[in-house]
Structures are given as C-alpha cells and as structure tokens.
Amino acid sequence: MPEVRWLSESEMRAWRSYVVGSLRLRQRLHRELVEAHDVSLTDYEVLVTLDLQDDNRMRMSDLATMLGSTKSRLSHQVGRMESEGLLRRVPDPEDKRGVIAQLTTAGAELLKEAAPTHVKGVRAHLITLLSPQEQEVLAVAFSRVSDHLAGLSEYPGATGK
C-alpha cells in the first residue's frame, strides 16, 4: 500500500477554509431564500438551471449532471417541486425513455422574485469580500476542479474519458 502524502499546513488551511467557508455560505444563502421566499437553495438552483435553457427545459439526466446530483435524488426533488407547481415533467419526444423537466410560469415568477435576494446575498457574503483578482483566481481554480471531476467516471452523470 502506498504511503499517504499528507497535506501540508498551507494545503490543509486552503482545504479547511474551502470546506467550512462554502458550507457556511450555502447555509446563509439557503436561510435568506427560505426566510424571504420560502424556497430552498437547492430548489432555487433547479429553477435557475432550467431558466438558463433557451426553452426553459432540460432532460432530467442532464439536469442531475449539471447540479451534481444523483438521478434518484433529483427525481424526488423535482416531484416535490412539480406538486408545488414550480415545474412539470414531460416525456422526451426524442427519447421515449427520457423525461424532461420544464419550468412553469409559477416557477419563473418565484425565480424572478427570489433572484434579487440571492444575488444580494452572493454579493454581500462572497463577491464584495474578494478583490477582482481574487474573484478571477477563484473562477479559474474551481473551473479547473469542475472540469477535472466531470472527466472522472465516478462523477454523477459523467461519461468518463
């Protein structure tokens, strides 16, 4: 068994800062959305992802990949959101086995109401705390991490390379 290459003090500081900081940020953004609009951060992210599509719809499997979720977990979430009238599931006309999630008018309205709260929170709790250079470093670093993980076959929904 190969010897473990433990994290150095600076590597551990970077890792722990990311873990704790991102967890606290997501908790805060979630709380602000729930208090102001009665929508969770994870539901908000589904709404945003669908809204960014040209036709406000996306195959469930692609949506799961985009959100870093499992198909099963997303199916439960979408089912709940569908019962709340925020989106609907329709058969994929191009693949009879596929299902498409589509944003409803109610979902689009909720997103329009909640988006300013979310953006205000992101700005207050992250963006304004970083210089433009730090923002760029963060974007480059996590784009690299995301691209790396998307290429691994263990990553939910990834095709592998």
Side-chain angles (χ1 to χ4, degrees), residues 88-143:
R88 70 176 64 82
R89 287 183 279 195
V90 296
D92 185 342
E94 297 176 16
D95 179 357
K96 293 183 185 200
R97 297 172 298 160
V99 176
I100 292 176
Q102 182 174 15
L103 191 63
T104 63
T105 301
E109 289 173 5
L110 176 58
L111 178 60
K112 185 177 179 180
E113 293 170 9
T117 299
H118 180 69
V119 171
K120 181 180 174 186
V122 169
R123 186 169 296 289
H125 309 308
L126 179 67
I127 299 301
T128 60
L129 302 176
L130 304 175
S131 71
Q133 296 80 12
E134 290 168 327
Q135 293 170 25
E136 182 61 23
V137 168
L138 190 67
V140 169
F142 283 99
S143 291

Side-chain angles (χ1 to χ4, degrees), residues 25-49 67 73-74 76-78 80-81 84 86-87 107 110-111 113-115 117-118:
L25 177 60
R26 289 188 60 80
Q27 288 171 338
R28 180 62 184 222
L29 295 173
H30 171 80
R31 184 169 54 248
E32 290 173 356
L33 284 169
V34 168
E35 288 174 359
H37 307 283
D38 197 28
V39 63
S40 70
L41 180 59
T42 55
D43 287 357
Y44 177 85
E45 290 168 342
V46 170
L47 297 174
V48 167
T49 303
L67 295 171
R73 185 177 339 137
L74 181 67
H76 290 293
Q77 180 180 5
V78 166
R80 184 182 38 71
M81 293 177 74
E84 294 171 7
L86 301 175
L87 47 86
L110 176 58
L111 178 60
E113 293 170 9
T117 299
H118 180 69

